[in-house]
Amino acid sequence: MARNVLESSLLGAGFSIIFQILCRILTFGINAYIVRNVGREVLGIMNVRLLLLESTLLFLSREAINRAALSANSQQRDRCSWAQLINQMWLTVPICAVLCGPCLYIWLNCLSTVDAIYSSQYEFACYAVAVSCVLELFAESTVFVAQVFCFVKLKILLNTLHIFVRSAIFLWIVIGDRSAAITAFGIAQLASAVTIVLGQYGFFYFYIGRFNDYKVQQGRKKQPTPTSWELTLFEHMEDFPFTRLSEFLPGVMYDPIGKFFNRELQTLTLSFVKQGVLKQILTEGEKYVMSVSPVLSFGEQATYDVVNNLGSMAARFIFRPIEDSSYFYFTQTISRDTRLAKQPQEQVRQASSVLNNLLLGVSSIGLLAFTFGQSYSYPVLLLYGGPDFVAGGLPQSLLQWHCLAIYLLSVNGISEGYMFATNTSRDIDKYNYLMAIFSVSFLVLSYILTGIFGPVGFIFANCINMLGRILYSTYYIRQQYQPLSLNPLQGLKPAKLFGVTLIISGIICYWYQSAALFTHLGIGLMAGIACLLAWALAHRDLVRLAWRYGRRIKID
């Protein structure tokens, strides 16, 4: 396979960041419209309760299977066939269908009830979300193949299309009837799931047909000169195993091994299942606590969700795409079952350098968010939700503390992602016990701290939890690289020039926060530019490296 995994990962991260920015701008606009014209309670039902149902079903159904299949494809190619991988991916559909039963029962009967005027819409939306999750997983085998063969632009195009369809249908219904917002949400979810399925299978129907024709042409004695679009689509794809669209279905593709499932892949999947359940609790823990116990009303939940989304912009826009691409890169570069000293040293040094640079980049972003978030939380929320939204000071306090969580999120995502990508099945099982402790302690802390500090207690509990996970993952990384005299954790230390500039900028912005709004914003803009210039000067080698890769990707 001649595809450059590192370049593909960087390209995927770059496109994903752009996609996330565009999508979140659209989402923030819709949320602002709902807050001002429909009501916070409706926003709380949709963004907390219904999206939590979608997140729970999709994460538990596919996360473990996808991660195990990626690892098997990169490190056990001789023991795991493509037919077994496709069969494995189709397990997501029955798993999701089975999970729908208990989840729907809990969401409709056990969680805190919605107001009577919304109950019928809420029930319809729950069923619609469940059906949409099952439908979306019908395309999971094609999504996996697209990821393995680095169809980065396909992923971005289809994600953009499905977000556009969902948003357009939702707004079309709500503008016509504001009282039907929750019903519109369910209909939009169904439409977007159908879009994903049709888009994925439609692309591969086109691709396989053209690829078969291309192989026939290349097999002739007089080979025609490939066009530029043929080189873009088919170059370095000699190992693409599919010859017809039906091979994406379970049990259709020829299997040279002769077994429907792979036992080693099943074992690895089970390890990730245990880990995935715990990770889902940690990721969405505050929403589960809000849903199970009436700590906050739906209106207060909406306020927390809006602030949480604003505070998580960096995580959604930048950190998550980088985490996904870096996880893919590390699974393709580092073997789980072999010590680093016995692996190709050039790959190990490259992986160490990439990890160091990733930690440096995301931790720097986290420090920027923490520094400027203390002075600019109030104006950001004022511009977003208006004076009524920021009244009382709770939204501002939530966002300020969330900026601390952003820094911890940035470090934890990369360090823990690397650990998951390189752990053996035994190591994963060991960590599952620790994750169980983290999960239980997080839920207990959330409940206790929320009673003491109100909604800010969710953020305190999250910070404590992430700090514990960071300590464990960084210890693992240090122990793994210490025998090789490599230390990728150096990336966590900010350069002196950057650190000093951050401190001075934070003091100046805090000093002028009582000034006129646009004066304050102008000072923050100049301080931000100064911090970015200081970072670039302190890390000139990394800037040049990023520039070279950017030019190569642009040329390709």
Side-chain angles (χ1 to χ4, degrees):
M1 190 189 305
R3 290 178 295 280
N4 190 311
V5 174
L6 178 57
E7 286 193 20
S8 175
S9 300
L10 290 172
L11 181 63
F15 276 124
S16 295
I17 290 170
I18 295 172
F19 166 76
Q20 290 285 347
I21 291 174
L22 294 175
C23 289
R24 295 312 296 180
I25 290 174
L26 180 62
T27 302
F28 284 144
I30 293 174
N31 287 349
Y33 175 82
I34 295 172
V35 167
R36 295 171 183 264
N37 296 280
V38 180
R40 295 188 196 180
E41 186 167 358
V42 172
L43 184 64
I45 293 172
M46 294 189 303
N47 283 12
V48 177
R49 184 67 63 81
L50 294 176
L51 286 183
L52 181 61
L53 175 60
E54 180 193 39
S55 170
T56 301
L57 288 172
L58 290 179
F59 190 93
L60 296 181
S61 300
R62 70 183 177 191
E63 180 75 5
I65 291 176
N66 184 270
R67 285 181 176 263
L70 280 174
S71 297
N73 177 68
S74 64
Q75 299 162 18
Q76 300 176 5
R77 293 192 185 106
D78 56 335
R79 291 177 285 174
C80 187
S81 67
W82 265 106
Q84 291 175 330
L85 289 171
I86 294 298
N87 296 338
Q88 182 83 358
M89 299 311 297
W90 273 94
L91 285 175
T92 58
V93 176
I95 289 174
C96 185
V98 170
L99 288 173
C100 282
C103 284
L104 283 173
Y105 180 82
I106 292 171
W107 257 253
L108 293 172
N109 298 285
C110 300
L111 302 183
S112 56
T113 58
V114 301
D115 289 346
I117 58 173
Y118 302 124
S119 60
S120 60
Q121 290 190 59
Y122 172 70
E123 183 177 357
F124 168 79
C126 284
Y127 283 108
V129 167
V131 172
S132 71
C133 290
V134 176
L135 284 175
E136 184 174 334
L137 293 175
F138 272 82
E140 193 64 19
S141 61
T142 58
V143 172
F144 172 73
V145 172
Q147 185 176 10
V148 169
F149 287 96
C150 304
F151 289 105
V152 177
K153 294 178 182 178
L154 171 67
K155 175 184 176 182
I156 302 305
L157 176 64
L158 292 182
N159 282 347
T160 303
L161 180 62
H162 114 83
I163 291 292
F164 173 78
V165 169
R166 185 174 68 183
S167 302
I169 292 176
F170 176 79
L171 286 175
W172 177 60
I173 297 174
V174 171
I175 291 173
D177 183 4
R178 294 180 184 178
S179 64
I182 300 175
T183 300
F185 180 89
I187 295 172
Q189 288 291 115
L190 288 170
S192 66
V194 173
T195 302
I196 292 173
V197 175
L198 293 179
Q200 287 285 346
Y201 282 102
F203 170 79
F204 279 106
Y205 176 80
F206 160 82
Y207 183 85
I208 292 173
R210 298 298 186 275
F211 189 45
N212 289 337
D213 295 340
Y214 175 79
K215 288 189 291 184
V216 171
Q217 293 176 1
Q218 295 302 304
R220 294 173 180 170
K221 292 183 179 180
K222 293 183 179 180
Q223 298 179 358
T225 303
T227 62
S228 59
W229 72 269
E230 286 179 330
L231 289 175
T232 301
L233 287 175
F234 306 134
E235 192 176 23
H236 306 315
M237 296 295 288
E238 298 83 4
D239 56 341
F240 187 76
F242 301 93
T243 58
R244 50 201 173 100
L245 188 64
S246 61
E247 289 178 339
F248 284 98
L249 301 176
V252 175
M253 192 176 191
Y254 170 71
D255 184 6
I257 297 178
K259 294 182 179 180
F260 198 82
F261 292 115
N262 183 284
R263 180 172 295 182
E264 294 182 16
L265 181 58
Q266 299 290 330
T267 301
L268 185 59
T269 301
L270 288 175
S271 297
F272 279 117
V273 166
K274 303 170 192 173
Q275 189 184 93
V277 173
L278 299 173
K279 186 177 180 181
Q280 176 67 5
I281 294 174
L282 293 173
T283 303
E284 304 282 11
E286 69 272 11
K287 291 185 178 180
Y288 288 119
V289 172
M290 284 190 288
S291 297
V292 170
S293 116
V295 177
L296 304 173
S297 67
F298 279 112
E300 291 171 324
Q301 289 180 31
T303 301
Y304 176 84
D305 184 70
V306 167
V307 174
N308 185 55
N309 284 334
L310 286 170
S312 301
M313 283 175 63
R316 295 174 185 272
F317 289 173
I318 302 173
F319 300 150
R320 184 59 187 269
I322 292 175
E323 289 168 21
D324 291 343
S325 296
S326 63
Y327 179 85
F328 174 71
Y329 166 73
F330 289 128
T331 58
Q332 308 299 301
T333 306
I334 301 296
S335 175
R336 292 180 182 275
D337 301 317
T338 307
R339 288 183 302 178
L340 293 184
K342 295 184 178 181
Q343 297 187 40
Q345 290 305 293
E346 183 178 352
Q347 288 187 5
V348 172
R349 284 193 294 271
Q350 185 190 64
S352 174
S353 176
V354 169
L355 180 57
N356 176 85
N357 292 336
L358 286 170
L359 290 172
L360 173 64
V362 298
S363 62
S364 299
I365 295 170
L367 289 172
L368 282 168
F370 177 72
T371 300
F372 289 94
Q374 306 312 305
S375 301
Y376 289 93
S377 294
Y378 180 82
V380 167
L381 291 168
L382 179 66
L383 293 172
Y384 180 81
D388 292 339
F389 183 72
V390 295
L394 175 61
Q396 179 185 358
S397 179
L398 282 170
L399 189 54
Q400 286 175 329
W401 281 108
H402 211 295
C403 291
L404 173 61
I406 289 173
Y407 173 75
L408 297 175
L409 270 171
S410 67
V411 177
N412 181 68
I414 297 299
S415 61
E416 196 173 68
Y418 173 85
M419 184 178 68
F420 291 159
T422 58
N423 265 349
T424 64
S425 295
R426 181 176 297 179
D427 290 332
I428 292 173
D429 286 334
K430 289 180 181 178
Y431 187 62
N432 286 337
Y433 293 109
L434 192 59
M435 285 281 279
I437 297 174
F438 284 139
S439 301
V440 173
S441 63
F442 172 67
L443 293 176
V444 172
L445 280 172
S446 295
Y447 190 83
I448 294 174
L449 295 178
T450 302
I452 299 173
F453 300 104
V456 180
F458 284 124
I459 300 175
F460 290 162
N462 204 18
C463 289
I464 295 170
N465 181 270
M466 280 189 292
L467 184 60
R469 292 161 64 185
I470 288 170
L471 291 174
Y472 185 89
S473 59
T474 51
Y475 174 79
Y476 167 83
I477 293 170
R478 184 181 294 108
Q479 293 296 109
Q480 193 180 37
Y481 281 96
Q482 197 170 33
L484 304 177
S485 300
L486 297 172
N487 185 17
L489 297 178
Q490 288 281 59
L492 292 175
K493 293 174 60 177
K496 290 183 179 179
L497 176 61
F498 178 63
V500 171
T501 308
L502 271 180
I503 293 172
I504 295 173
S505 298
I507 294 172
I508 292 174
C509 291
Y510 185 81
W511 183 268
Y512 281 95
Q513 65 178 341
S514 59
L517 177 61
F518 287 102
T519 301
H520 188 208
L521 293 176
I523 291 172
L525 177 62
M526 291 187 290
I529 293 173
C531 290
L532 292 176
L533 289 174
W535 189 92
L537 289 172
H539 304 289
R540 289 185 289 271
D541 293 340
L542 186 56
V543 172
R544 283 194 290 266
L545 178 64
W547 176 259
R548 284 201 302 270
Y549 269 113
R551 291 190 63 186
R552 287 174 64 181
I553 290 172
K554 185 178 180 180
I555 292 172
D556 293 342

